[in-house]
Amino acid sequence: MMFGVVLWSDNTEMKAVVWCEDQGELAFLGPEPGSDAGANTFESGDLVQFELEMDGAIRRVRGAVIVAEAQFPTLARSLLEVGNDAEVIANAGSDEERPDAGDVRRKGIVLPFIRRRPVQPPVGTAQRSAV
């Protein structure tokens, strides 16, 4: 069993997108064969418990039940804001364009590693050989 939070739902289509506690890819909930239509209506922010099933490369929610309604009502918006901030940081070209490190730590944004050129040995130095 796994816990997750509903980020988006469409109750007319019986579909939802769930952010899982394992922090992996998002999981998708759809109508299950033989289920009572409308037995569970999910709203953004609901804490749910479910079985996770792989369908090829897609994670599917099975047997979801609501543990607590509206437990995390602002989570989807918060994730979107952090994602937008991270994109700004990742796309900043120079150090001057990057946000202050203190601001980044307070928001909990993960900064991407800057790709550096590999270090080359000085010209004329002997390379060690594995013997």
Side-chain angles (χ1 to χ4, degrees):
M1 291 297 252
M2 184 175 292
F3 289 95
V5 177
V6 176
L7 295 178
W8 171 88
S9 68
D10 180 343
N11 287 316
T12 59
E13 296 285 326
M14 301 280 300
K15 293 180 181 180
V17 176
V18 178
W19 190 33
C20 303
E21 69 179 323
D22 68 357
Q23 305 294 305
E25 297 289 324
L26 297 176
F28 299 93
L29 183 147
E32 294 183 36
S35 66
D36 180 17
N40 274 325
T41 56
F42 301 97
E43 298 295 333
S44 180
D46 289 349
L47 177 64
V48 294
Q49 186 175 27
F50 55 92
E51 292 289 335
L52 187 65
E53 180 180 288
M54 292 303 296
D55 181 8
I58 298 174
R59 291 162 46 116
R60 300 247 182 232
V61 170
R62 298 287 181 236
V65 294
I66 297 174
V67 175
E69 291 181 355
Q71 185 70 28
F72 302 96
T74 61
L75 180 61
R77 184 173 55 246
S78 296
L79 290 171
L80 183 61
E81 289 170 3
V82 169
N84 289 339
D85 289 346
E87 185 176 340
V88 168
I89 292 168
N91 291 328
S94 67
D95 289 340
E96 293 81 31
E97 294 173 346
R98 292 186 185 276
D100 177 74
D103 291 338
V104 171
R105 272 188 237 106
R106 280 190 294 279
K107 289 186 177 182
I109 298 170
V110 177
L111 293 174
F113 286 104
I114 298 172
R115 195 174 284 232
R116 304 219 186 252
R117 289 180 283 169
V119 177
Q120 298 294 324
V123 175
T125 59
Q127 297 278 334
R128 289 188 190 179
S129 62
V131 179

